[in-house]
Structure formats: C-alpha cells, structure tokens
Amino acid sequence: MATTVKDAPPAPAPANAPHGLAFFTSRLRQIGIFVALLVIVGLFQVLTRGALLQPDNVSNIIVQNSYILLLAIGMVMIIIAGHIDLSVGSVAAFVGAMSGVMIQDWGLPWWLAIIASLLIGALVGAWQGFWVAYVGIPAFIVTLAGMLIFRGLTQITLENQRISGFPTEYRQLGGGFLFPGLFPAETNILDWTTVGLGIIAAALLVVSQLRGRRTRARLNLETEPSSWFFTKLAFGLVVILGLTYLLASSRSGTPIVLVLLGILVVVYSLVMNRAVFGRHIYARGGNLQAAQLSGVNTKRIDFMLFVNMGVLAALAGLVFTGRLNSAGPGAGNLFELDAIAAAFIGGAAVTGGVGTVVGAITGGLIMGVLNNGMSLMGVGTDYQQFIKGMVLLLAVAFDVFNKRKASTALK
C-alpha cells in the first residue's frame, strides 16, 4: 500500500540552521535592497517634509514608473541568463508608434490595436532572439543594432511627427484607475475598492507564506528561525496595508497599471521559482556548459527570453503612450538604461545566474523614489543623473563585495 508524504511525521529542523542575528547576517545580500528602499523613502520623507508619502504622490510614483517596472521584469530574466538588451526603449517607442498609426490612420478599434501591438512586440523579440540564439551573435551587439533599427523605424512610421488623441479606453491602460466613480472621494473617506484589494493581497501573502513554510518543514528543508519568518511576514503585511491605506486615501484609488504589475510580478515569480523554464534560465546563466551537458536546450531558452522581452517592451510602450496620450519619435529614450539599472540595483549579478523579479521591481522603485524625491526638492536633472549613477555603482560594488566575501569563506 502506498504511503503518502502527508502521513509522515514532521521532520526536525536541520541541526545546523542559523538563528537570530546570525541568520539576518547570512541573508544581508537578499534583504539589503529592501533595507535600502526603506532608508531612501525615510530620508526623502524627511527632506521633502512629508510630501513624498502624500497619497496622490504615491499614486503618481507608481504611474510614472510603471513602464520601467514592466521592462525591469523582462530585463532581469535576460540578465540572469547572462545577456543584456539595449533595444527595449526603441522597441517600446516603435510599438507605441505602430499602435497610433493603427488606431488613427487605419481605423482599427483600440482593443484590436493593442493585441496587434503585442504581436509586433513578440515578432521583434523573435527577430532578435534568432540572431542571439541560433546565429550566435552576442546579445550586446544584436540589441545595440536593434536600438538603432527600431528607433529608425519609429521615425519612419511617424514621419517624425507626433500622433496624439487616443481613445479613452486605450488611455486607461497607462493613466486610468480601477472603478474611479464607484466610491467618489466627495462622499467616502477611503476608496473601498482599493481597501478590498489590499485585504485580499494581505490574506494571500499570509496563506502562501504559511503553506510554504509548512511544506519546507515537512520536507526537512526549513532553515528560517521562527522569529525571522514572522518578522518578515509582518514586514510584508505592513508594506501592503500601508500602501493600501495611502492609495485608498488618494483622489482616484488604485491605478489600473498597478493591478497589471501585481499580476505580472506574481506570475513571473512563480515561473522563475517553480517552473522548469525558470530553473533552466538560472542554470543557463550560472554555468552555460554545465546546463548544456545536463540537457538544457539553451538556444530555445535564449530565443524565448527575447520573445518575452519583446512582448513586455510592447506592453511598456502601450502604457507609456496611453499615459501621455501621444506617440512621438523620441519616446522611450533611455528606458533601457533605467531598466538595466533597476535589475542590477535589485540584486542581479553582472555575471548572470543570480537575481529575482521582486528584487528588480524593488530596484525600479528605488529609482522612482529617487527621481520623485529629488524633483520635489527641486534638484536639477544634472545632479539627479549623478546621484542615480552613484547608486548604481554602489549597488554593483556591494554585489562584488559579497561575492568575494563568499568565495573567501569557502577557502
């Protein structure tokens, strides 16, 4: 008779599991990015005299940086696999331009233009993935060429003219809010749609964390001290409920693009942590030869990664165009550098094989808070570029320092 794992008695925790402060120190590399975000938010909250965490400003930070966060999800996967993509800003601009032409010149309905734009993004990704995966040209060269090609195609498509005046439904993707008239600010203290979403998100976090810990304990894989686990869980709840309160207090409630981002973060985190495809990406970036000897189809992995990046770049282009209600030849300029910076600040390793989707989103939020905080203080763009460059340099230096420390400890 078969014996199920459920019937087995709970296994004891590993004898060598670190506890308390020792565990905190061992995880400093993983949690450092979250500590940095808290420090930066606290610093600018003081320097801006409370303006940073005003409800409408928090909503503004999310909407203004949404397209960079979308790009950061795909970029961190590309970097984990050991590649880079310099073309995402140009691809976003090209797709935004094509959507404008399809709606205004060809007369397509907005929903059909959005679907067609995502397909164009997939084709662009397939084009670049083919040269990287099957021809063997380094991604740096292919995407550098792509940056020039798709910037040129954007200008050709628009004939160097700006297109504006998109349908209301299209603009909702970048600048709309979820059910804005359901609980109007004039008659409600809070937006109850946002409160409901926040409670659901908090409940899902608690259930998923407790189930995960229970499963790890049953398989004798649990190494987290209880104090650390519940501190981490409480921190996540405070962040979710705090953000819920701020957005529910704002004039318009939850931005639609935040819901889209939340869904994508959950889906891509599951893909990277639990799906075979995600494990193959880490294997390909960690050790290419070992991955190939293990039977991983690295060419297919590379190809699919760039197709995925093309779709996300197209989505970012649609969000950006919808928010501005305009498609211009200069759109998407330097988006690629912001997305790359978000991935590295979020803990992705320069040599590949290391990184997380949540880390990249956190890195993107750090960049967004820096931009918004310095703008509120009236800091010039020249100093803003300097400070963001220093933050990126220090983040990579921290990664290099941790690697050297780990390699020294193994000797």
Side-chain angles (χ1 to χ4, degrees), residues 147-386:
M147 181 173 68
L148 300 173
I149 291 170
F150 296 109
R151 180 61 63 188
L153 287 177
T154 303
Q155 294 170 348
I156 293 169
T157 302
L158 295 174
E159 297 178 343
N160 281 323
Q161 300 293 321
R162 183 173 293 275
I163 296 178
S164 59
F166 289 86
T168 302
E169 295 85 352
Y170 181 99
R171 287 187 276 125
Q172 294 299 307
L173 187 61
F177 294 85
L178 206 61
F179 309 123
L182 194 57
F183 300 103
E186 297 80 11
T187 55
N188 289 274
I189 301 174
L190 297 174
D191 179 73
W192 297 106
T193 304
T194 304
V195 173
L197 288 174
I199 292 174
I200 291 172
L204 289 175
L205 175 68
V206 172
V207 171
S208 65
Q209 289 294 309
L210 290 177
R211 287 186 61 182
R213 181 176 175 83
R214 184 180 175 186
T215 302
R216 291 193 299 272
R218 193 168 60 226
L219 299 176
N220 199 23
L221 298 174
E222 183 57 62
T223 59
E224 286 186 337
S226 298
S227 58
W228 171 256
F229 173 78
F230 286 108
T231 301
K232 187 179 69 173
L233 182 58
F235 173 77
L237 288 174
V238 168
V239 171
I240 291 175
L241 296 178
L243 182 61
T244 299
Y245 174 74
L246 290 172
L247 291 178
S249 304
S250 65
R251 282 175 296 183
S252 304
T254 304
I256 292 175
V257 72
L258 176 61
V259 179
L260 177 64
L261 265 172
I263 294 171
L264 289 177
V265 168
V266 171
V267 170
Y268 277 95
S269 294
L270 288 174
V271 168
M272 293 301 289
N273 294 328
R274 301 193 179 182
V276 174
F277 181 68
R279 297 180 193 281
H280 284 180
I281 293 173
Y282 281 108
R284 191 255 178 261
N287 190 322
L288 176 59
Q289 289 185 337
Q292 290 173 333
L293 291 173
S294 301
V296 176
N297 189 342
T298 55
K299 291 183 178 180
R300 180 176 173 275
I301 293 293
D302 289 343
F303 181 78
M304 293 306 297
L305 276 174
F306 278 93
V307 172
N308 176 67
M309 187 72 254
V311 174
L312 288 175
L315 186 57
L318 293 171
V319 169
F320 182 73
T321 306
R323 176 173 170 267
L324 295 185
N325 191 23
S326 172
N333 193 28
L334 299 182
F335 278 12
E336 57 279 346
L337 299 187
D338 284 340
I340 292 169
F344 283 130
I345 291 173
V350 180
T351 52
V354 176
T356 62
V357 172
V358 174
I361 293 293
T362 309
L365 287 176
I366 286 179
M367 298 284 287
V369 172
L370 283 172
N371 284 330
N372 187 268
M374 288 189 288
S375 297
L376 289 174
M377 294 172 60
V379 177
T381 55
D382 45 357
Y383 284 97
Q384 289 190 26
Q385 297 294 332
F386 170 79

